[in-house]
Amino acid sequence: MEMRDMILVSLDDHLVEPPSTFADVPVGLKDLAPKIITKDGAESWVYEGRLLPNIALNAVVGRPPEEFGFEPTAYSQLREGTFNPDKRVEDMDADGVCASVCFPSAVGPAGQLFADATDKKAALALLQYYNDWLIDSWCGSNPGRFIPLGIVPVWDIDLAVAEAKRIAKKGARTISLHDNFSAKGLPSIHSGYWDPLFAVMEEERMVISAHIGTGNQAPHASPETPIDAWITTMPMSIAVAAADWLYSPIFKKFPNLKIALAEGGVGWVPYLLERVEFTYKHHRAWTHADFGGKTPSELFFSNFITCFISDDFGMKNIDFLNPDMICWECDYPHSDSVWPRSANALWDSVKHLDKETIDKITHLNTIREFRYDPREILGRENCTVGALKDRSKHVDTAPVAGRGGFNPKEGAEKRPVTSADVMKLFTVAL
Amino acid sequence: MEMRDMILVSLDDHLVEPPSTFADVPVGLKDLAPKIITKDGAESWVYEGRLLPNIALNAVVGRPPEEFGFEPTAYSQLREGTFNPDKRVEDMDADGVCASVCFPSAVGPAGQLFADATDKKAALALLQYYNDWLIDSWCGSNPGRFIPLGIVPVWDIDLAVAEAKRIAKKGARTISLHDNFSAKGLPSIHSGYWDPLFAVMEEERMVISAHIGTGNQAPHASPETPIDAWITTMPMSIAVAAADWLYSPIFKKFPNLKIALAEGGVGWVPYLLERVEFTYKHHRAWTHADFGGKTPSELFFSNFITCFISDDFGMKNIDFLNPDMICWECDYPHSDSVWPRSANALWDSVKHLDKETIDKITHLNTIREFRYDPREILGRENCTVGALKDRSKHVDTAPVAGRGGFNPKEGAEKRPVTSADVMKLFTVAL
C-alpha cells in the first residue's frame, strides 16, 4: 500500500457561511435572519441586533503561517474553498480528501446562535432553514463529497426531537451537539431530559458529533499565557466530556448510539482508559459506578469514536485502542489542518500499520458509522488520494500572503501572542 | 531484580495536621492560630472565625473501599499514620516506602489558608511557625524518612523570598506552589512578579512542587455527573499548567530550576509533547513562541519532573519520555493510593524495564533532584522494600470498617455518588 492508495473521509471540517446563506429565507424572516454588514472594512454577521465577532473563526487555510490567526474579518481574506462548496471540493481534491463532515461556523458548531436568540419562534424557523441550506445546498451541491450534518433547537426537547426526525428524513447522518450541555446552562445528560432526542438518534442511527469547545472549554491559564499553550491543550480538554458521557446512563439506555469526540486526538486515550479502569476497580464500592455489565473500557470502545488530525503517538499505540472506532479528520480550514499536505502527514502516522487497519481509520469506520459511502456514488477508483490529486493539478495551493494575519498592522512587533490578544478578537460591540 | 530490591522514595504524600499542630505558637499568636473545635461530633479547624470544611480532605487510607469518601470529620475516623509521623513511618515500612515528601492538608497544599487571611501579620508568623513545625517536628521526627517541604507567603513577593531563604537554611528541598497563580487571583508566571522567588529557588536548588488542584481545577462536568468522572480526569487536568509553565519565560531565565507535576500521571505526556512540537512547528511563525534555542520537548525533559502512582501505559512508553525525570509517588493517605500494596502495583508497572531505569524512577531521580538521600542516613540495606516490609510485620494493615464513609447514615442507598454530593462536603458554615 502507498499513500496514493488511501481513501480519506474526514470526520471533522468546517464550512464558513457565505454572505448569501440566508438569502432565500421566506419573506416573513427576511428582516429577522442574520445578515452581513460592513464596518471599517470588516464584514460581520448581525443577528437580533448583536454583532457576531468573527465570520470565520480561524479559517486561515491557504495563508503562510506568519499570517495565521483568529481574525479573518472579511471574505476577501479567506480562501474561497472555506465558503464555496464547489471550491471546497477542489481543495479536497488537492488534499486527497474524498468526503467530509462540515460543521457550521457563524451559527456555532452546535447551533448555539439560535439557542441564544430572544425570538425563539424565528430562531426555530431560521435553524430549520439553516439545516435545509446545509444539507440541500452545501452537501447537495456535490453528491458523495459531503456527509450531511444537522443541528437541533436545544432550547426545547420536543422541538429538538421533531427537528432530529425531520433532518433524518432529509438524510442527516449526524447531529452536532454540545460536548457538555450543562456548561451551556442546559440540563445535563444525566438528567434524562435529552433521552427522547437520543432515542430518535439511536433509532435513526445518527451519530452524536461532539466537537471540542462546544461545552467544556480548554481554560486559558492566564491572560498573559502564550496562545500556543491553549492551542496545545485544546484537543485534550474533551477528556472531561469523554468521562462525563462514559459515566452517564446514556449508552446503557441507548446501546447503539455513538458519539464522536471531534478534534479530540487519540494519543492520550489509552492513559485515560487505564485511569478509568483503575477508578472503576478502586472506587466503585463507594461510588456505585455501573457500566451495565461491561467494563468502562468496553463501553468506551463500543460507543465512542475518537478522531485525530495527526497523532503519531496514538497510531503507535493502536493496540491499546479499538481500531474500529478511530477516525481521521482534516479540520479544513482551521489552523491545525495541514492542508494541502494532509495525506502526507497522515501517511507518516499510519504507514507502519497493516492495510486493513489503515483502511478502517482513513474511511471504513466513518463510512460505517455515518452510513454514507462515497465509493457507491463516485466509484471507488475515483476516491483514492492518488485519483483525487491527479485530477486537481489545476488547483493552486500555494500560500497567498497579504490576506490578513494576527496583527498585520503592528508589523514588526514580535512579542509572543497571548491568550488576551486572541480573546480580544472575540469581544466586539456594534 | 525483584520487587523486594526496589527502593521507594515517594514524591507526593499528604500529612494531616494533628490537633496539636499549633500548640506551641508564641503567646501572642495563641488566640489567632487555627484550632480544632468539635460540633455535633465533627472536628473542624477554625481560623479567623472561618470553619474549614474538612480536617483531612480525602484521607481514607486503611478503610475498606466501601467507606472511601471525602468526608473524614474526626480524628477518630482516621488511621493514625495520617497525622502521627511515627505511625506514618510504620505505615511507610509496611508499604515498603523509604522516604516521602508530605504536603499540608488543612492549611492547603500550597498554604492558601494563610494567603486568604485578613490579619496578614499574624498569617506570616503562623506560616513561619507552620514551616518550622513541618520541617522540625514532622520531618525531624524520623531522620531520613521525610524530605522537607515548605510553603511561602504568596501574598507578598518580598516576604515569599525571605521565607524561601529562611526555610532553605532549615533544609527545605522544595516549595509547594500553586500550579497556576493566576487562577488564584495572583500575578501570573509570565508577569515577572515571581522571578525573585524563582531566582532564590534556583540558587538554593529547591524544586517547585506543583500539585494538581492547587490552581487549575479539574472541572466537574455537571453537578449530576458521577464523581468517578472527576476522579478520572483530575490528574490530567495539570496539562493546562504544564503547557503554561512550558510556554512561560521561567525556565529560560532560570535554566536550573525544576518543577514537579505532583500526581499528574505520565501516560498522557508523550501525546502532549507531540502536540506541543506540532504547535511549535506549525504556529510559531505567527505566535513568536521561543524556547531559547531548544525544542519544547527538550525544555520539558530538562526541567519538568513527571510523577505517577501507577501508570502501566506510561511505563510501556518510557522511550517517549526522559527516564531521568520520572518519579514515583505513593499519595498516602488519599483514596488513589494503593497502600499497603504500593510496591506490588508499582512492580507490575515497571518490572519489564532494566534495573537502571527502575532505580531512577523509584528513587534515584527524586534523591538527585531533591538532594536528599535516605540511604546515607539509614544505610542502603535498610531502605529496600524487602527490608522495610520485613521489619514491619507487627503493623496491622487490615482495613478497618466503621470509621465513616461517604454516606454511612443513608446506608442502603446505592445511587451513584455525584459531583454535587462531594462538593456539598466542602461547603459548611460555622
Side-chain angles (χ1 to χ4, degrees):
Chain A
M1 188 175 192
E2 294 176 21
M3 184 185 89
R4 289 179 53 86
D5 303 325
M6 293 194 296
I7 293 178
L8 302 185
V9 175
S10 167
L11 187 139
D12 169 28
D13 296 294
H14 302 264
L15 63 84
V16 173
E17 293 82 0
S20 64
T21 303
F22 294 94
D24 296 326
V25 292
V27 176
L29 288 172
K30 289 274 181 211
D31 291 344
L32 300 170
K35 41 188 71 64
I36 288 288
I37 63 155
T38 306
K39 188 183 161 193
D40 303 332
E43 289 165 312
S44 307
W45 287 102
V46 179
Y47 178 53
E48 290 200 335
R50 279 189 303 133
L51 193 68
L52 309 184
N54 202 295
I55 53 165
L57 197 57
N58 173 232
V60 295
V61 69
R63 292 184 179 186
E66 291 76 11
E67 298 181 7
F68 283 2
F70 289 81
E71 87 322 321
T73 48
Y75 287 93
S76 61
Q77 296 179 349
L78 301 176
R79 190 170 170 90
E80 200 174 343
T82 60
F83 58 85
N84 175 333
D86 297 330
K87 292 291 183 182
R88 169 67 63 97
V89 166
E90 287 188 2
D91 282 355
M92 289 163 64
D93 290 349
D95 207 19
V97 176
C98 173
S100 158
V101 176
C102 291
F103 286 79
S105 291
V107 307
Q112 185 67 16
L113 181 73
F114 300 116
D116 291 341
T118 306
D119 181 347
K120 283 294 196 305
K121 197 177 153 206
L124 176 63
L126 289 166
L127 182 146
Q128 291 173 325
Y129 171 90
Y130 186 90
N131 276 334
D132 292 347
W133 172 82
L134 203 170
I135 297 169
D136 300 335
S137 297
W138 183 274
C139 299
S141 67
N142 290 273
R145 305 306 296 271
F146 299 111
I147 302 177
L149 169 147
I151 53 177
V152 292
V154 289
W155 61 88
D156 183 307
I157 184 63
D158 294 332
L159 297 177
V161 166
E163 184 62 5
K165 287 180 180 167
R166 192 184 76 84
I167 60 176
K169 282 208 184 70
K170 289 180 66 72
R173 302 305 206 271
T174 180
I175 295 175
S176 174
L177 295 176
H178 298 294
D179 69 352
N180 182 352
F181 291 102
S182 183
K184 293 290 175 184
L186 295 163
S188 80
I189 51 174
H190 309 276
S191 65
Y193 179 83
W194 304 100
D195 287 2
L197 175 62
F198 297 141
V200 170
M201 292 180 71
E202 185 188 44
E203 167 86 22
E204 299 285 354
R205 293 190 55 207
M206 289 196 286
V207 174
I208 299 168
S209 283
H211 196 283
I212 62 165
T214 54
N216 302 311
Q217 299 292 330
H220 293 274
S222 79
E224 295 125 342
T225 300
I227 192 63
D228 319 62
W230 180 76
I231 294 173
T232 299
T233 57
M234 201 174 44
M236 258 172 100
S237 69
I238 207 165
V240 173
D244 190 32
W245 287 86
L246 185 60
Y247 282 101
S248 80
I250 302 306
F251 301 106
K252 281 179 285 178
K253 290 182 189 171
F254 309 105
N256 296 312
L257 186 63
K258 310 290 173 74
I259 183 169
L261 306 175
E263 210 171 325
V266 303
W268 51 270
V269 173
Y271 164 84
L272 188 83
L273 293 178
E274 180 179 336
R275 176 84 188 140
V276 89
E277 290 290 332
F278 171 84
T279 304
Y280 178 63
K281 290 187 187 113
H282 197 64
H283 291 275
R284 69 175 154 164
W286 72 279
T287 63
H288 312 308
D290 171 15
F291 291 90
K294 293 183 173 183
T295 69
S297 290
E298 284 169 351
L299 187 66
F300 188 90
F301 287 148
S302 60
N303 295 80
F304 287 68
I305 300 166
T306 52
C307 317
F308 73 100
I309 304 170
S310 60
D311 197 324
D312 293 350
F313 182 67
M315 291 306 105
K316 277 174 186 146
N317 283 287
I318 204 153
D319 291 347
F320 293 87
L321 296 163
N322 177 4
D324 290 320
M325 291 290 268
I326 302 172
C327 296
W328 175 78
E329 58 165 278
C330 177
D331 199 33
Y332 182 105
H334 288 172
S335 61
D336 267 352
S337 173
V338 293
W339 182 92
R341 293 170 289 100
S342 297
N344 309 67
L346 177 60
W347 181 245
D348 284 344
S349 277
V350 299
K351 63 188 176 194
H352 65 287
L353 300 172
D354 58 52
K355 181 177 184 307
E356 188 188 348
T357 307
I358 295 174
D359 284 343
K360 285 179 180 179
I361 292 172
T362 53
H363 64 290
L364 291 180
N365 293 340
T366 302
I367 284 174
R368 181 189 68 247
E369 294 301 329
F370 286 67
R371 298 174 298 117
Y372 189 96
D373 193 343
R375 299 170 304 182
E376 290 175 1
I377 300 165
L378 308 167
R380 192 190 186 287
E381 71 282 7
N382 299 312
C383 292
T384 63
V385 168
L388 293 167
K389 283 191 176 266
D390 284 349
R391 78 176 189 204
S392 69
K393 298 230 189 314
H394 63 289
V395 181
D396 184 0
T397 61
V400 177
R403 273 180 168 156
F406 176 70
N407 220 350
K409 284 174 196 156
E410 298 181 30
E413 194 186 15
K414 291 291 187 197
R415 70 168 177 82
V417 176
T418 66
S419 280
D421 291 330
V422 170
M423 286 189 283
K424 205 163 55 184
L425 300 173
F426 292 88
T427 314
V428 292
L430 192 54
Chain B
M1 188 173 192
E2 295 176 21
M3 184 185 88
R4 289 180 53 85
D5 302 326
M6 294 194 295
I7 293 178
L8 302 186
V9 176
S10 167
L11 187 139
D12 170 27
D13 297 295
H14 302 265
L15 63 84
V16 173
E17 293 82 359
S20 63
T21 304
F22 293 94
D24 296 327
V25 293
V27 176
L29 288 173
K30 289 275 182 211
D31 291 345
L32 300 169
K35 39 189 72 64
I36 288 287
I37 64 155
T38 305
K39 190 183 161 191
D40 303 333
E43 288 166 312
S44 308
W45 286 102
V46 179
Y47 178 51
E48 290 200 333
R50 279 190 302 134
L51 192 70
L52 309 184
N54 202 294
I55 55 166
L57 197 57
N58 172 234
V60 294
V61 69
R63 292 184 179 186
E66 291 75 11
E67 298 181 8
F68 283 2
F70 289 80
E71 88 322 318
T73 47
Y75 287 93
S76 60
Q77 296 180 349
L78 301 176
R79 189 168 170 91
E80 200 175 343
T82 60
F83 58 86
N84 175 333
D86 297 330
K87 292 290 183 184
R88 169 67 64 98
V89 165
E90 287 188 3
D91 283 355
M92 290 162 62
D93 291 350
D95 207 18
V97 176
C98 174
S100 157
V101 176
C102 292
F103 287 77
S105 291
V107 308
Q112 184 68 16
L113 181 73
F114 300 116
D116 291 341
T118 306
D119 181 347
K120 282 295 196 304
K121 199 177 150 205
L124 176 63
L126 289 166
L127 181 147
Q128 291 173 325
Y129 170 91
Y130 186 90
N131 276 333
D132 292 348
W133 172 82
L134 203 169
I135 297 169
D136 300 336
S137 297
W138 184 274
C139 299
S141 66
N142 289 274
R145 305 305 297 270
F146 299 109
I147 302 177
L149 169 146
I151 52 178
V152 292
V154 289
W155 61 88
D156 183 307
I157 184 62
D158 295 332
L159 297 176
V161 166
E163 184 63 4
K165 287 180 180 167
R166 192 183 77 83
I167 60 176
K169 282 208 186 69
K170 290 180 67 73
R173 302 304 205 274
T174 180
I175 296 176
S176 174
L177 295 176
H178 298 293
D179 71 351
N180 183 353
F181 292 102
S182 183
K184 293 290 174 183
L186 296 163
S188 80
I189 52 174
H190 310 276
S191 66
Y193 179 84
W194 303 100
D195 286 3
L197 175 63
F198 297 141
V200 170
M201 292 180 72
E202 185 188 45
E203 168 85 22
E204 300 284 355
R205 292 190 55 207
M206 290 195 286
V207 174
I208 299 168
S209 283
H211 196 284
I212 60 166
T214 54
N216 302 312
Q217 299 291 332
H220 293 274
S222 79
E224 295 124 342
T225 301
I227 192 63
D228 319 64
W230 180 78
I231 293 172
T232 299
T233 57
M234 201 175 43
M236 259 173 101
S237 69
I238 207 165
V240 173
D244 191 32
W245 287 86
L246 185 58
Y247 282 101
S248 80
I250 303 307
F251 302 105
K252 282 179 285 179
K253 290 183 190 171
F254 309 105
N256 296 312
L257 186 63
K258 311 289 173 75
I259 183 169
L261 306 175
E263 211 172 323
V266 304
W268 51 270
V269 173
Y271 164 84
L272 189 83
L273 293 178
E274 180 179 335
R275 176 86 187 141
V276 88
E277 290 290 331
F278 171 84
T279 304
Y280 179 62
K281 290 186 187 114
H282 197 64
H283 290 275
R284 68 174 156 167
W286 71 279
T287 63
H288 312 308
D290 172 15
F291 291 90
K294 294 182 173 182
T295 69
S297 290
E298 284 169 353
L299 187 67
F300 188 90
F301 287 149
S302 61
N303 295 80
F304 287 68
I305 300 166
T306 52
C307 317
F308 73 101
I309 304 171
S310 61
D311 197 324
D312 293 349
F313 183 68
M315 291 307 104
K316 279 175 185 143
N317 283 287
I318 203 152
D319 291 347
F320 293 86
L321 296 162
N322 178 3
D324 290 319
M325 292 291 267
I326 301 172
C327 296
W328 176 78
E329 58 165 280
C330 178
D331 199 32
Y332 181 106
H334 288 172
S335 60
D336 267 352
S337 173
V338 293
W339 181 92
R341 293 171 289 101
S342 296
N344 309 67
L346 177 60
W347 181 246
D348 283 345
S349 275
V350 300
K351 63 188 176 194
H352 66 287
L353 301 172
D354 58 51
K355 180 177 185 308
E356 188 189 348
T357 307
I358 295 174
D359 284 344
K360 285 179 179 180
I361 292 171
T362 53
H363 64 291
L364 291 180
N365 292 341
T366 302
I367 284 174
R368 180 188 69 247
E369 294 301 329
F370 287 68
R371 298 175 298 117
Y372 189 96
D373 192 344
R375 298 170 305 181
E376 289 175 1
I377 300 165
L378 307 167
R380 192 191 185 287
E381 70 282 8
N382 299 313
C383 292
T384 63
V385 168
L388 293 168
K389 283 191 176 266
D390 284 348
R391 78 176 190 205
S392 70
K393 299 230 190 309
H394 64 288
V395 181
D396 185 359
T397 61
V400 177
R403 273 181 166 154
F406 177 70
N407 219 351
K409 284 173 196 158
E410 299 182 30
E413 194 186 14
K414 292 291 187 199
R415 70 169 176 82
V417 177
T418 65
S419 280
D421 292 329
V422 170
M423 286 190 282
K424 205 163 55 184
L425 299 174
F426 292 87
T427 313
V428 293
L430 192 54

